[in-house]
Amino acid sequence: MELPPAQFPSRRAAAVAVAFLRYRRGGPGRALRLRELRRARTEDIKDVGHKYYLELELEDVLDKDSTVNCTAEVLYHLGNKNIAPDVQFTLEGELKSTEEADHVFYTRIRSLEKELVAENIPDSHGHVPPELEPLHLLAWVASGYLVWQNSTENTQLQLAQIKHVKQVRRSDEYLQFDYLVLLHEMVSQEIIPWEMTVLWHPRDGVRVTRESRQPGHTSG
Amino acid sequence: MWLSLGIVFSLGMLIPGKLSLKLQYDRDQVLHIVPETFQQVQHLQLLHSTLLLDLWKPLMPEDITAGEDLHIRVPAPLVQEVKDSLDQHMISYRVLIPDVQELADLSMPRERSSHKQVREGYVYTQYHPMEEIYEWMTQIQENYSELVTQNFLGMTFENRPMYYLQISQPSNKPKKIIWMDCGIHAREWISPAFCQWFVKEILQNYKSDPKIRRFLQHLDLYVLPVLNIDGYIYSWKTDRLWRKNRSPYMNGTCYGTDLNRNFNSSWGSIGVSFDCSSNVFCGSEPESEPETRAVAEFIRRKKSDIACFLTIHSYGQLILSPYGSTTKPPSNNEELMQVGKKAAAALTGKYGTSYKVGPPSLILYNNSGSSRDWAHMIGIPLSYTFELRDNGTYGFLLPADQIQPTCEETMLAVTTIMDYVYQEYLPGGAVVLTCSSLALSLCLSIVLTWTVY
């Protein structure tokens, strides 16, 4: 069944697809976001769940003129809400290489004398210091994993802010950052604190190795 | 002489404490009243409690007595209202101190830094804390006194005054009202920034821009720059991502009602929580919150003159029409969608920012108790919620360098709607046109008939 792209069921499914895609293809030098949802179709699969077929146009946050088309499928499972939706995607064309920027970031962090620590990114006025921008993007990319894993047809999750980030030195070649992020859930309007451990290497991409939802945000 | 010295001395004692909180007393007046009857005493006590005036003598309202001196400080924006009320009740008064700040300055030089900013040119491309917005409103009224009045709407839960700006060209023609409120949700900082930008654009350009001049001949603009003042201040001082107001529930263990779930539009039916700890807690009943009541009572009073109700939020890049609680379309849905889409197109034309148009029940999520739905339900034909930039990249933490482009594009959307109101909703305008076309066609048909015969 064809769905109007403006209506929220297709937009929520698109958000999940993009979050997953951002996680799989992103890094400190690349974060993809949705520019336009071109088409959406839904299918009710008996005893399985709701499947959405999407045609998306994505753009690179760091280079808005660089767009890429994409088709994606999102399957929300019936019943058990603890199972993440299944997401598959196909990108049309190549993404620009971020090899150079990745290398610069990697060497800079590896050569730090003291482990990097930062908080409130962006700050209250939306400002991110330029040297922390890769850390900001990395969090946004990694939060795609959290969004994907925790989405249902009745939620719409976004990264609201990095509350705290701490670099953890490792003996292997990976960079590790322990984040406390705040996610914004649009339907309930709640702010949800979430801890996540993020590993990254220019060759391997981003991996969330540990994540833990924290108790409520309302400070009263 | 001893009386004046006494007052200056008391001011000297009072002011230092108050100045440390950066309060200003410009053009506040102290009135001397001797109530003659018990009814007058009662009325003065009522004025004191509803407007929270500052009693200098006696210290407690219950000590106001007929035949005894009363000295009361009235904040500048309330002076006219209070004097009118006294006149109405035939209570005579004398202005003891015409400008409290002038007198205070004699005893202590005041901090000028924040005041200086407003004089030298307010920075509209930065986010401002509430005290600067209060100062800005006073300054705007002063600089554009021929057009602007600052009016009292009500008090917040934490006892802060809510003011709206009325931009109105004096005229004997009846006017239609366009209402715009910002900052109903504390964390949506781009919203109050837009209200301030909007006011600035209208006032700085009304002399040179014929379109704005025309608007103001027939339309009054009412702008409430920050509706949820307590929440806004809380988001500056304590929790940047706070949403609700700051009224306590459950014996002070839980704070805040979502003001945009607190209006009497299918209140409590869908998209809300009855649990105070939720960010969509709808309050204990419709209009349970003082901020909601202040707005609702005012809009109800003026509703027959209000053609358009706009409420500004972020984020999401949406122009939302009624309703949130049902997918059943409002009676004038075609009009709402057409005007909304025209506004969105004008917005997109500026920087390519893409907006969606439609009811939240279809394009966002179900919700009840919103101000937009309520305004439409009581009869205001054009009622929209704007969700400004962005789409989630920065969300509520929209960088200050996006204030200008966001406000510029949104301005185009709002003026498109104002233009439509001007064309279609002027009092008597459309009717006159119809009548004259009717008269003209009658004349023509008579002439033609004569010619034929």
Side-chain angles (χ1 to χ4, degrees), chain A residues 39 105 169:
Chain A
R39 263 187 88 184
F105 176 67
R169 245 191 254 284

Side-chain angles (χ1 to χ4, degrees), chain B residues 283-301:
Chain B
S284 52
E285 58 177 16
E287 297 183 23
S288 59
E289 306 306 303
E291 297 89 352
T292 314
R293 272 200 305 279
V295 172
E297 278 161 14
F298 179 78
I299 301 286
R300 260 193 293 269
R301 267 208 317 273

Side-chain angles (χ1 to χ4, degrees), chain B residues 155-160 230 245-248 255 289-291:
Chain B
M155 299 297 275
T156 66
F157 180 81
E158 290 177 341
N159 271 327
R160 297 188 177 91
D230 298 344
N245 76 345
R246 291 294 300 164
S247 62
Y255 282 81
E289 306 306 303
E291 297 89 352

Side-chain angles (χ1 to χ4, degrees), chain B residues 175-282:
Chain B
K175 308 265 200 68
K176 278 293 179 188
I177 296 168
I178 304 214
W179 164 275
M180 185 161 78
D181 64 77
C182 292
I184 191 173
H185 289 138
R187 57 195 180 195
E188 299 166 11
W189 285 14
I190 185 62
S191 166
F194 175 69
C195 266
Q196 292 165 71
W197 182 281
F198 176 79
V199 166
K200 176 254 300 180
E201 279 299 299
I202 296 289
L203 295 177
Q204 280 182 359
N205 297 313
Y206 87 96
K207 284 191 174 140
S208 56
D209 187 334
K211 197 168 180 186
I212 299 179
R213 261 208 321 275
R214 255 192 308 122
F215 282 153
L216 292 180
Q217 273 164 13
H218 298 276
L219 299 174
D220 283 349
L221 309 177
Y222 288 30
V223 181
L224 173 57
V226 184
L227 197 160
N228 179 10
I229 296 171
D230 298 344
Y232 186 68
I233 291 173
Y234 193 77
S235 74
W236 271 79
K237 292 196 170 137
T238 310
D239 182 353
R240 175 62 178 83
L241 294 173
W242 188 258
R243 170 180 167 89
K244 306 182 285 179
N245 76 345
R246 291 294 300 164
S247 62
Y249 280 84
M250 312 280 280
N251 276 325
T253 59
C254 179
Y255 282 81
T257 297
D258 183 346
L259 295 174
N260 204 34
R261 302 284 186 278
N262 190 235
F263 284 79
N264 196 11
S265 43
S266 309
W267 179 86
S269 60
I270 193 171
V272 295
S273 170
F274 293 102
D275 183 343
C276 165
S277 58
S278 162
N279 255 350
V280 293
F281 172 56
C282 53

Side-chain angles (χ1 to χ4, degrees), chain A residues 4-9 11-12 22 33-37 59 61 64 120-128 133 136-137 140 154 156-163 182-191 217-220, chain B residues 126-128 187-189 234-236 238-244 246 253-255 258 261 271 276-280 315-316 318 354 356-357 360-366 390-401:
Chain A
Q7 294 187 4
F8 65 72
R11 289 227 313 274
R12 285 178 196 172
R22 182 162 54 233
R33 70 176 168 204
L34 182 67
R35 174 178 275 200
E36 199 71 49
L37 171 61
E59 69 184 16
V61 162
K64 278 159 222 145
N120 290 334
I121 304 166
D123 69 13
S124 286
H125 297 249
H127 182 248
V128 179
E133 188 60 48
H136 178 218
L137 284 182
W140 199 28
N154 301 316
Q156 193 165 331
L157 289 161
Q158 292 274 14
L159 174 68
Q161 193 183 34
I162 301 162
K163 223 35 204 157
L182 298 177
L183 297 187
H184 171 228
E185 200 294 289
M186 185 73 95
V187 180
S188 64
Q189 292 293 346
E190 293 304 332
I191 301 292
H217 174 77
T218 330
S219 43
Chain B
Q126 263 175 34
Y127 295 113
H128 290 274
R187 57 195 180 195
E188 299 166 11
W189 285 14
Y234 193 77
S235 74
W236 271 79
T238 310
D239 182 353
R240 175 62 178 83
L241 294 173
W242 188 258
R243 170 180 167 89
K244 306 182 285 179
R246 291 294 300 164
T253 59
C254 179
Y255 282 81
D258 183 346
R261 302 284 186 278
C276 165
S277 58
S278 162
N279 255 350
V280 293
Y315 57 92
L318 304 166
S354 152
K356 308 265 181 293
V357 181
S361 52
L362 287 180
I363 70 171
L364 186 57
Y365 47 58
N366 291 310
D390 58 17
N391 250 330
T393 308
Y394 287 93
F396 301 117
L397 308 180
L398 192 70
D401 63 19

